[in-house]
Amino acid sequence: LKGAPEYAMVDIVVFTRVASARVFLDPVQHGRPVILFDKDGILVPPRFDEAAFRRKLRERLRGIRLRFDLFQNLPKKEVFRGNFLDALSMYQSFTLSPFVEVLRMRHCPRRHAFGLRYARHDFPPKVRKALERLYQVRGLGDIARKRREAERMFRATVKGLDLGS
């Protein structure tokens, strides 16, 4: 990479015969791999089981909803105590992160666990702008207001989410 731009990198994965490389072969999650050496032809993308995936997603959503409801008191409590850093941490962890995951379940379910990675590609502009606004806070009062707004948006997103039955 001598002379290459600062951000250029080569992503190489080497597996032993017993290692499971199949997770890296999902083109939806990781792009289409360029396989240079596979003399036995074992690097075949896994077959995607839509029904099993939807079941796991519904189970994950149930857990997210329970934790969301259980932990919304934490950022509120830290705002009340006047602890900006703790309030910010709790807001990001227990309000924004689960909100981002349910947004991903709606807009790009196969990458529901990617957090904000690829948000530029995976979310419509209106959703990206809303997230940018919610993440940019200017103090305890702003955290309190935006947490309430994020909670409303979370509930609306969950209510409109169709993960099949």
Side-chain angles (χ1 to χ4, degrees):
L1 294 176
K2 188 174 182 171
E6 175 184 1
Y7 299 110
M9 35 184 326
V10 176
D11 190 359
I12 298 174
V13 181
V14 178
F15 294 96
T16 63
R17 284 187 73 71
V18 296
S20 176
R22 295 172 60 90
V23 69
F24 294 103
L25 297 174
D26 181 350
V28 173
Q29 287 199 3
H30 301 289
R32 188 151 312 280
V34 176
I35 299 170
L36 300 177
F37 183 74
D38 179 16
K39 71 179 185 177
D40 295 328
I42 60 174
L43 296 177
V44 178
R47 187 180 73 69
F48 183 67
D49 183 342
E50 183 75 30
F53 176 73
R54 294 290 172 176
R55 279 192 303 277
K56 288 179 185 175
L57 217 51
R58 286 191 301 273
E59 182 179 315
R60 176 72 182 146
L61 180 60
R62 277 192 291 280
I64 290 170
R65 291 175 70 185
L66 287 170
R67 281 186 299 284
F68 188 90
D69 290 340
L70 182 63
F71 293 125
Q72 286 312 295
N73 66 323
L74 296 176
K76 288 192 242 182
K77 178 172 62 173
E78 295 307 328
V79 166
F80 177 74
R81 290 177 170 172
N83 296 326
F84 175 77
L85 292 176
D86 288 345
L88 179 63
S89 174
M90 298 300 168
Y91 170 61
Q92 289 179 339
S93 297
F94 299 116
T95 305
L96 293 180
S97 290
F99 179 41
V100 167
E101 190 167 352
V102 297
L103 283 170
R104 284 195 163 282
M105 287 179 180
R106 179 175 181 186
H107 295 285
C108 51
R110 296 271 298 268
R111 295 204 279 209
H112 70 92
F114 274 40
L116 291 172
R117 183 76 173 127
Y118 305 123
R120 179 171 51 110
H121 304 291
D122 293 342
F123 293 137
K126 184 177 178 181
V127 171
R128 282 195 322 268
K129 292 292 183 197
L131 285 172
E132 288 172 5
R133 190 174 35 70
L134 290 171
Y135 270 90
Q136 295 173 19
V137 296
R138 296 183 179 167
L140 289 166
D142 208 20
I143 291 173
R145 282 185 297 280
K146 289 180 178 178
R147 193 215 57 80
R148 286 189 301 270
E149 182 180 356
E151 182 176 2
R152 284 191 300 275
M153 294 169 76
F154 172 88
R155 294 193 190 292
T157 302
V158 167
K159 186 176 181 181
L161 197 55
D162 180 14
L163 298 177
S165 39

